[in-house]
Amino acid sequence: MYTFIVKINQEGSELSGTCEIINTYKKNGVTEKFQGTFTNNEISLTETSVIRYKMSPSVKGWCLKILSGTLTTREKEYVIEGTWTSDMGFTPGRGYSNSDCEPGIFRIAKAISSKDEPPTLSQSDQKESGPILLKNVLFELQTDKLFPQAYAELDTLVIQLKEKPQVRIRLEGHTDYIKNSSAQGDLLLSEKRVNKVKGYLIKKGIKGDRIETKGYGHSKPLLPPPNEANRRVEFVILN
């Protein structure tokens, strides 16, 4: 079982940040912890410790790995993969020592959850809310075509807007940064995406003058690109 913790910084189109992975092998009771950094989707992680809860007698030793690879999404998974080397090992009863482990390859994957709670308009008494992520409103790469699971979440938003007819919102569109994509092209694509969502809300009975739109291109990613989670729409409550 993997736990991912990612923190992102950005200067222009360049992304950097830190990543931590904690992995537990239920079969042999080994828990390993990796920490490292990334730039765009290039990532480097070092296994900083091995934690033993019930380490099996079959575990004779453990290589502390240095991982070099990429962080991407594939088929609804977060994927970190690449090659590893090791210059340190752990042996039960003896602790840490120099390692003679052979290099290898790795692939760490974690499913992207589709069971997130839907957004609410409970902040409508504020002058303006912060951005509220429409977590399942995602788009195919380089298009304004919505994934099928988006419509259920948009229908929930329609219901909430009808229940609170005084509320006005601003839809904010975002794209993913991929190699050779242009800032202007991504800005136009993000505008197409929010207009696609606005059109659906209007089709479902929400008046257009209650909905503003704004595109940000790839300037505000959620995760290191390329990552489909960055192709998203958020909304802000304006009153």
Side-chain angles (χ1 to χ4, degrees):
M1 180 178 67
Y2 294 98
T3 301
F4 288 72
I5 303 172
V6 178
K7 296 182 180 180
I8 300 175
N9 301 310
Q10 181 175 11
E11 293 185 9
S13 62
E14 184 79 4
L15 290 177
S16 63
T18 60
C19 182
E20 178 177 291
I21 300 174
I22 300 173
N23 178 35
T24 301
Y25 296 89
K26 292 183 179 180
K27 193 170 184 179
N28 59 24
V30 174
T31 296
E32 53 184 355
K33 181 177 181 180
F34 298 88
Q35 291 179 309
T37 60
F38 61 84
T39 301
N40 286 336
N41 66 324
E42 299 296 323
I43 193 163
S44 177
L45 295 161
T46 299
E47 186 169 6
T48 56
S49 63
V50 174
I51 306 166
R52 293 182 299 155
Y53 289 113
K54 55 170 185 175
M55 186 172 282
S56 167
S58 64
V59 180
K60 305 301 182 183
W62 198 264
C63 301
L64 272 71
K65 305 172 188 69
I66 301 171
L67 312 181
S68 297
T70 58
L71 171 62
T72 58
T73 60
R74 295 181 188 174
E75 298 180 353
K76 311 300 183 185
E77 289 182 323
Y78 297 120
V79 178
I80 297 178
E81 58 188 341
T83 59
W84 65 267
T85 57
S86 176
D87 57 11
M88 185 68 67
F90 177 86
T91 304
R94 291 195 299 172
Y96 299 96
S97 61
N98 291 336
S99 166
D100 58 358
C101 298
E102 293 291 332
I105 60 175
F106 70 94
R107 184 181 189 276
I108 301 171
K110 179 178 182 294
I112 300 172
S113 174
S114 61
K115 298 180 180 179
D116 297 308
E117 292 295 323
T120 71
L121 300 181
S122 59
Q123 296 174 309
S124 60
D125 57 337
Q126 300 178 11
K127 186 174 182 180
E128 182 170 315
S129 75
I132 301 170
L133 177 62
L134 292 163
K135 296 179 182 179
N136 294 315
V137 178
L138 301 174
F139 298 85
E140 293 185 6
L141 181 65
Q142 292 296 295
T143 77
D144 63 349
K145 185 176 180 180
L146 287 160
F147 286 145
Q149 66 266 32
Y151 295 104
E153 187 160 17
L154 290 177
D155 288 342
T156 298
L157 181 57
V158 167
I159 292 170
Q160 294 171 344
L161 287 168
K162 287 182 177 179
E163 289 175 346
K164 299 186 178 182
Q166 78 283 5
V167 170
R168 295 172 56 253
I169 64 171
R170 179 173 66 245
L171 295 169
E172 299 182 345
H174 304 269
T175 66
D176 197 14
Y177 176 78
I178 59 175
K179 189 176 181 180
N180 297 325
S181 64
S182 70
Q184 183 62 27
D186 282 351
L187 179 63
L188 293 174
L189 179 57
S190 67
E191 291 171 348
K192 286 179 67 176
R193 287 175 173 167
V194 286
N195 285 327
K196 181 90 168 191
V197 172
K198 179 177 180 178
Y200 183 81
L201 298 180
I202 292 173
K203 181 179 176 181
K204 290 292 184 173
I206 306 302
K207 292 183 178 180
D209 60 7
R210 296 177 60 193
I211 308 168
E212 297 181 9
T213 60
K214 184 173 179 61
Y216 287 96
H218 59 245
S219 64
K220 295 185 176 183
L222 285 179
L223 293 171
N227 193 306
E228 67 181 20
N230 295 326
R231 307 192 290 272
R232 72 197 191 277
V233 169
E234 300 167 329
F235 70 90
V236 172
I237 299 167
L238 299 176
N239 63 324

